[in-house]
Amino acid sequence: MRRNPAPAELEPVEAFCNTATLLQGADEFARPETAGGWLRAHGYPEAVSPAELAALAEARETVRAFLVERSSPRTLDALNRLIRSVAGAPVVRPDGTFALRPAGDGPVAEIVRTVLEALLRDGLTGRHASRLKACAAPECRWVFYDRAPSSNGLWCDMDVCGARHKMRAYRARTGASAARKDT
């Protein structure tokens, strides 16, 4: 059981980041066939080269790392470099919506710009500011929308990642106390 999906305005970010399932070792950008299916399903051009797939995977991991450590200078620098590589100065459209100007052409820049627009417009401020997160389990990092009233969720799935963390913490505590009793 994974959490409910993010609101529609953040769906591009969540869907893009979750193209890799680290726990199962699956990556939709690893092969042109699987990437083509994902790209087609999300309305993007599906003909991408292996180098473009690698660039998409790198962009995905940059965004995911930012969602893990939003205040880390390293992740902020990486996110800012990614933004500069695909987008020029932001613009406000006549209808009042925010957009990023293209700085690069091609499918990778278009896809990444769409994801970054959603993240910058809806994921950093307002009611969604701290709700889009990556699972706290380093071996997972599934991106989820935290719907808890206090926005304090850590795990994509309490039954999997949360339970695994609790069991490790329990074993660490009981192992330490058992070692103390033996001495």
Side-chain angles (χ1 to χ4, degrees):
M1 173 209 97
R2 298 275 182 170
R3 293 175 182 253
N4 289 330
E9 57 268 26
L10 290 173
E11 189 277 335
V13 182
E14 184 180 57
F16 180 71
C17 289
N18 290 337
T19 55
T21 307
L22 301 179
L23 287 173
Q24 284 86 32
D27 184 348
E28 293 188 65
F29 295 154
R31 295 188 335 270
E33 308 81 52
T34 56
W38 186 89
L39 293 167
R40 186 175 44 259
H42 290 86
Y44 298 116
E46 59 182 282
V48 293
S49 70
E52 290 170 323
L53 291 177
L56 285 172
E58 184 178 340
R60 175 194 60 216
E61 295 310 316
T62 298
V63 173
R64 197 188 314 223
F66 168 75
L67 292 173
V68 171
E69 297 181 82
R70 289 177 183 245
S71 60
S72 160
R74 182 181 50 79
T75 60
L76 288 170
D77 286 346
L79 183 66
N80 285 323
R81 277 194 308 277
L82 178 62
I83 293 167
R84 282 191 304 275
S85 74
V86 298
V91 295
V92 177
R93 296 181 184 122
D95 65 358
T97 59
F98 166 86
L100 294 175
R101 283 191 186 140
D105 292 329
V108 171
E110 177 188 341
I111 294 163
V112 174
R113 228 181 354 267
T114 302
V115 170
L116 291 173
E117 275 185 11
L119 178 65
L120 297 174
R121 180 188 60 236
D122 299 308
L124 299 181
T125 61
R127 66 187 180 108
H128 303 302
S130 61
R131 297 206 176 263
L132 194 63
K133 302 175 177 182
C135 182
E139 67 277 6
C140 179
R141 296 297 190 226
W142 187 261
V143 172
F144 67 96
Y145 186 80
D146 184 3
R147 294 182 184 276
S150 59
S151 186
N152 64 350
L154 296 174
W155 317 108
C156 64
D157 187 340
M158 193 60 206
D159 293 339
V160 178
C161 293
R164 190 179 303 124
H165 172 77
K166 284 183 168 187
M167 184 54 70
R168 284 183 189 141
Y170 170 78
R171 287 182 181 148
R173 284 191 312 273
T174 58
S177 65
R180 282 194 300 265
K181 289 178 184 176
D182 289 341
T183 56

